[in-house]
Amino acid sequence: MRLSAQDRRRLLARLALALVSLWVALSILFLLAKVAPADFLTVKLANLENQGAGQRVDEVIGQATVTTTTKSAGLGTTLAEVAEREGVPLGLLASLNPNLDAHEPLTRNLRVVLLDGEWLDELAVRYRVVLREDADDGVALLRSRNPDVTFSSIGGRAYAREGTTLTLHEGVSVAEFATLRRLTAEDLLEVNPPGSVGNPDGRLAAESILRHGDPIILPIGRITEAAIRHRLGIAASLGERYATFLWDTVRFDFGASFQTQEPSLAVLRSGLAKTAQLNLFALIVALVIGIPLGLVAAGRAGFKSRRIGRLLSAVAFVVPSFWLALLLIIVVTPDGLFDGGIWTIPITDPDARNITDSASQFFALYSIPALSGGLLLAGLFATAIRRQLTQAADPVQLSSLLRALVDSLRIYLPAFVGLNLVLELLFNINGLGLLLLQRIYQADSPVIVAIVAVTALFLVWSFLMLDGVRALLERREQAA
């Protein structure tokens, strides 16, 4: 169906409004997560260096021997999935792990041999040839410093074979040595006073060259302000940070978690399925309850039936979801309203989190939060349907019914999703709501930004789709 000029203008206007809305949401997120807490967190974390800070004598590492790369596979993951995730050919993994079946689920904490050597970028970061953000430069440096070594590659990613001895550097200045540990030269000189192991003759300075095997004292348990400002992403100017934030968000590159060092999107994906299941279940409940209530309240049934329908829809709309959830817990669980209870809510059962693991346990866990979260939306559905169908010539016209549902979702979708995130906390469902609360407590800024940004993008996209559906319904009604 060809769009008219008016429809194209409306579509472009909606797209522009969606982009502006998303930009405003991301800008507010930037201010809250990247600007407002910056100085507070810097000072607070920097003060920790006075709590348990210590020192240790270390040696400057100039050479390293390559070992085998192994990685924990995760419960239920297959060797084929590991190969796809890590970008390593399945045949290579199968040859390195001859005792494992490629398609059989792996047990908990099993370490899989991933590579008969080590990736050069990971070696460069681990042995502090370069900082993590300069890993590609580290690969080039290791190649140039080891001209006699033959490096292999998989998918364009270079690695060194097991048993290879690599030269990391011939010498490094105190200033560079400190920078690669996110310290300053002053930090190192402070813990290496004249007469110490690392500075026996008192001549150690920022430009002094350290060689392989030279002892030096390192501060441990010490958090410097420079390291914290880099970790929080607040070392650059405000304009540069804002531009970088927007560009990284567009590319869905939110950085690594402060807590686990995993990519933030990987952490987000771990809770996304649970949140999607709860919201979909609650939406089904809202439709199953709200549509009949709306039809009864707007239908040609008796006066009492209409009044009852309107009363039930009003009650469904005003009852707080968390209060209803707490009440239902008392009703269904043993030793609550009934001594024997109706069923036990499997709050601690991991199989209850996914419908594919155990359908019975899934419904036992999700039924109450889905009913509590969906009932509020059901009341809104019923009220909108009653109003729409009362005004329509035919009280059971399908287009009027769909318009009422779409209008309700356009108004209430953010609150619906937000309330379900709260219900996740109540029922210990490790979705995005519980994950977000945990990461706020831990000040894990990258994961917080990832969750809020993706949620905002979903809501903006949903509003755009709902606007499109509503416009299509209006056009069909006009054509009819």
Side-chain angles (χ1 to χ4, degrees), residues 15 37 55 73 88 109 151 183 234 294 302 305 314 326 345 418 461:
L15 285 173
Q55 302 173 1
V88 177
N109 298 328
F151 298 102
L183 302 168
I234 58 178
S305 297
L326 292 172
I345 302 173
W461 176 85

Side-chain angles (χ1 to χ4, degrees), residues 115-332:
L115 194 67
D116 57 339
E118 295 185 74
W119 302 111
L120 284 192
D121 53 354
E122 293 183 359
L123 278 168
V125 172
R126 183 190 317 153
Y127 289 106
R128 304 185 189 278
V129 176
V130 292
L131 293 171
R132 180 173 296 277
E133 57 267 28
D134 301 322
D136 291 340
D137 295 337
V139 173
L141 285 174
L142 288 179
R143 283 182 177 276
S144 65
R145 293 169 182 175
N146 296 273
D148 298 330
V149 177
T150 301
F151 298 102
S152 303
S153 66
I154 295 177
R157 190 179 181 189
Y159 71 96
R161 296 272 183 183
E162 179 187 7
T164 305
T165 299
L166 297 179
T167 298
L168 305 178
H169 54 73
E170 296 295 340
V172 59
S173 69
V174 170
E176 183 182 1
F177 186 83
T179 300
L180 293 173
R181 283 151 181 79
R182 302 204 188 279
L183 302 168
T184 64
E186 290 73 18
D187 292 325
L188 278 184
L189 295 175
E190 181 182 343
V191 295
N192 288 271
S196 65
V197 174
N199 188 16
D201 54 7
R203 297 181 180 179
L204 194 67
E207 61 275 7
S208 300
I209 301 298
L210 302 174
R211 305 290 180 183
H212 174 49
D214 285 349
I216 190 167
I217 299 175
L218 289 177
I220 59 173
R222 176 173 181 151
I223 307 174
T224 66
E225 186 171 333
I228 294 167
R229 293 186 67 83
H230 175 84
R231 186 184 186 192
L232 296 177
I234 58 178
S237 65
L238 183 62
E240 183 181 351
R241 283 154 50 195
Y242 182 60
T244 301
F245 172 79
L246 291 180
W247 175 239
D248 288 343
T249 302
V250 169
R251 297 183 297 126
F252 286 86
D253 181 9
F254 301 102
S257 164
F258 290 166
Q259 297 297 319
T260 63
Q261 301 305 313
E262 297 178 85
S264 295
L265 279 183
V267 179
L268 181 147
R269 282 195 296 268
S270 68
L272 185 59
K274 283 82 171 180
T275 295
Q277 288 176 148
L278 176 57
N279 280 273
L280 182 59
F281 195 175
L283 180 60
I284 293 173
V285 169
L287 292 172
V288 170
I289 295 176
I291 293 176
L293 275 180
L295 292 175
V296 170
R300 295 175 180 173
F303 175 76
K304 289 185 177 180
S305 297
R306 292 198 303 271
R307 292 295 297 271
I308 292 174
R310 294 180 184 182
L311 177 63
L312 291 177
S313 63
V315 170
F317 181 71
V318 301
V319 171
S321 58
F322 64 90
W323 178 83
L324 179 62
L326 292 172
L327 182 62
L328 290 176
I329 291 174
I330 297 174
V331 172
V332 304

Side-chain angles (χ1 to χ4, degrees), residues 35-91:
V35 177
D39 292 334
F40 166 74
L41 287 177
T42 300
V43 174
K44 181 177 179 180
L45 295 180
N47 288 336
L48 292 176
E49 67 179 80
N50 298 320
Q51 302 176 15
Q55 302 173 1
R56 75 161 183 262
V57 178
D58 208 342
E59 289 186 354
V60 178
I61 302 175
Q63 291 183 332
T65 302
V66 179
T67 60
T68 300
T69 300
T70 63
K71 180 165 286 190
S72 179
L75 179 64
T77 307
T78 65
L79 203 62
E81 292 172 339
V82 173
E84 181 180 1
R85 183 182 68 204
E86 301 294 338
V88 177
L90 179 58

